[in-house]
Amino acid sequence: MDLSEILTHLGEDRERGYDAVVPPIVQSGNFTYPTVAAMRAVVQQEFDRPLYTRGYNPTVAMLRKKIAALEHAEDALVFSSGSAAIAAAVIAFTKAGDHIVCVQKPYSWTKKLLAELLLRFGVEHTFVDGTDAENYRRAIRPNTSFFILESPNSLTFELQDIAAVCAIAKEHGIVTLCDNSFNSPLFQTPIDLGCDMVAHSATKYLNGHSDVVAGVLAGSHERIRRVMSKEFMTLGACPSPHDAWLLVRGLRTLPLRMERSADNAEKVARFLESHPNVKRVHWPGLESHPQHALARKQMKRVAGLMSIELDAPDAAAVERFCDSLKCFLIAVSWGGYESLQWPVCALQGPSGYYTDLPFTMVRLYIGLEEPQSLITDLEHGLARM
Ligand SMILES: *Cc1c(COP(=O)(O)O)cnc(C)c1O
């Protein structure tokens, strides 16, 4: 199926009498039947037919089909957040006494899922430097049941060789999950590289307009059905039909947004790399990135998130740079139309997180603006340091 067919038609049943080009938002929590017998038939198939919106909703079902097709998966689920999707997938395939191997410096709440929540239920973990796939092998114990990948990982943009890590997992009967938020399915499809399941924070590129928090999980029919019938239904982090509709709408322009964000990121990264006040640019699209060759091998393009280390003497200089930027809003998250900045020094507080990162680090998300406006803005900011 080609991309246009997935984004423009797939799952959009236009034969139910709506006669609408744009599919409806079925904003209903429950569904009704003409007879008891008809209800009885639906109850038997509550994950495939409309009974109650937590389990099945037509607007959400449309989105599930598109996500599965985009990720080259058999099936997909939609959650009320990316964190919910990751947690449900991990919990579905681990039990008390198991051990999980995860890439170091994953998304912060993935880290807390392992380091705080699952530890309480007797699930152990090891964080590994994923730049060498063999580190995953070395961390395997007899009770290892799950590998978590996030390539590239958050903030430091270290890649894992997805095919190599997943091959090691297969040898040991270990289930693999890759957080693919950074790439969107257009720039990387981990299932094609042997990964069992793929998760996204759909809040980011998939929605693309900074107005929805949602998550998705894609994989085989069997695995998705297993997550759905247990963790998804029990933990109950289902999306609202309206958010699912906004996501379908956001997806329409995914190819255009991804190309623009990646084009802009390339221009900005090259400018920053050549600037004397920038010590380092962490972006796998640059030849200077230590894993640039792997990025070219497993990713179609490199998306618009990067971090820089400023050549700043103190946090005050970093703040002068950040405060003077006009095009880059100071905010968390990313993946929308708007460029953003996320200075690590703003988060190195009492939480104790991020203290392993330099205070000179600023994460930049490169949005869809005119690239020259972004570069001019950064040029002015760097001059004020
Ligand atoms: C934002 C993010 C998440 C969490 O997604 P939410 O939708 O905020 O719950 C997970 N992984 C990555 C890489 C993210 O950027």
Side-chain angles (χ1 to χ4, degrees), residues 227-250:
V227 176
M228 183 173 201
S229 60
K230 299 195 169 73
E231 287 69 20
F232 180 82
M233 291 302 282
T234 315
L235 300 174
C238 66
S240 86
H242 186 246
D243 284 352
W245 183 87
L246 281 170
L247 267 155
V248 169
R249 178 187 168 127

Side-chain angles (χ1 to χ4, degrees), residues 81-84 86 107 110 150 154 179 181 201-204 213-214 334:
S81 75
S83 302
I86 293 165
Y107 177 69
T110 302
E150 185 182 307
S154 295
D179 181 337
S181 310
S201 170
T203 313
K204 313 294 166 52
V213 172
W334 54 274

Side-chain angles (χ1 to χ4, degrees), residues 121-175:
F121 296 93
V123 178
E124 307 172 302
H125 61 269
T126 307
F127 293 112
V128 293
D129 173 355
T131 58
D132 179 358
E134 287 303 312
N135 287 337
Y136 271 87
R137 190 196 301 280
R138 287 182 200 109
I140 293 174
R141 302 177 189 167
N143 56 341
T144 304
S145 62
F146 207 94
F147 278 181
I148 301 176
L149 298 86
E150 185 182 307
S151 184
N153 70 345
S154 295
L155 289 160
T156 50
F157 298 92
E158 296 159 20
L159 273 60
Q160 300 104 68
D161 184 330
I162 298 173
V165 173
C166 293
I168 294 167
K170 285 228 160 56
E171 279 173 42
H172 293 83
I174 292 165
V175 179

Side-chain angles (χ1 to χ4, degrees), residues 26-244:
V26 183
Q27 192 72 35
S28 184
N30 49 358
F31 299 86
T32 183
Y33 314 94
T35 61
V36 174
M39 184 188 207
R40 187 178 294 121
V42 173
V43 169
Q44 305 303 317
Q45 306 173 49
E46 72 168 310
F47 306 134
D48 303 305
R49 293 178 61 186
L51 174 73
Y52 185 57
T53 277
R54 173 151 42 81
Y56 183 99
N57 174 281
T59 309
V60 178
M62 189 190 345
L63 177 59
R64 289 178 55 192
K65 284 208 182 90
K66 289 182 194 289
I67 297 295
L70 288 170
E71 278 296 354
H72 302 169
E74 289 172 1
D75 203 352
L77 282 172
V78 183
F79 294 76
S80 57
S81 75
S83 302
I86 293 165
V90 175
I91 293 169
F93 296 94
T94 45
K95 58 182 188 316
D98 280 1
H99 172 249
I100 296 170
V101 184
C102 178
V103 66
Q104 67 181 357
K105 301 196 192 80
Y107 177 69
S108 56
W109 292 97
T110 302
K111 188 170 178 181
K112 289 182 205 195
L113 171 71
L114 303 183
E116 295 176 19
L117 192 145
L118 285 176
L119 214 50
R120 296 210 323 263
F121 296 93
V123 178
E124 307 172 302
H125 61 269
T126 307
F127 293 112
V128 293
D129 173 355
T131 58
D132 179 358
E134 287 303 312
N135 287 337
Y136 271 87
R137 190 196 301 280
R138 287 182 200 109
I140 293 174
R141 302 177 189 167
N143 56 341
T144 304
S145 62
F146 207 94
F147 278 181
I148 301 176
L149 298 86
E150 185 182 307
S151 184
N153 70 345
S154 295
L155 289 160
T156 50
F157 298 92
E158 296 159 20
L159 273 60
Q160 300 104 68
D161 184 330
I162 298 173
V165 173
C166 293
I168 294 167
K170 285 228 160 56
E171 279 173 42
H172 293 83
I174 292 165
V175 179
T176 46
L177 169 73
C178 185
D179 181 337
N180 201 29
S181 310
F182 173 87
N183 311 286
S184 90
L186 300 190
F187 288 175
Q188 178 170 283
T189 43
I191 286 177
D192 294 334
L193 301 170
C195 200
D196 294 321
M197 290 181 293
V198 177
H200 285 268
S201 170
T203 313
K204 313 294 166 52
Y205 272 133
L206 294 178
N207 178 59
H209 292 75
S210 304
D211 50 12
V212 168
V213 172
V216 302
L217 179 71
S220 67
H221 276 307
E222 195 192 332
R223 286 206 176 83
I224 290 297
R225 183 49 65 103
R226 181 164 154 189
V227 176
M228 183 173 201
S229 60
K230 299 195 169 73
E231 287 69 20
F232 180 82
M233 291 302 282
T234 315
L235 300 174
C238 66
S240 86
H242 186 246
D243 284 352

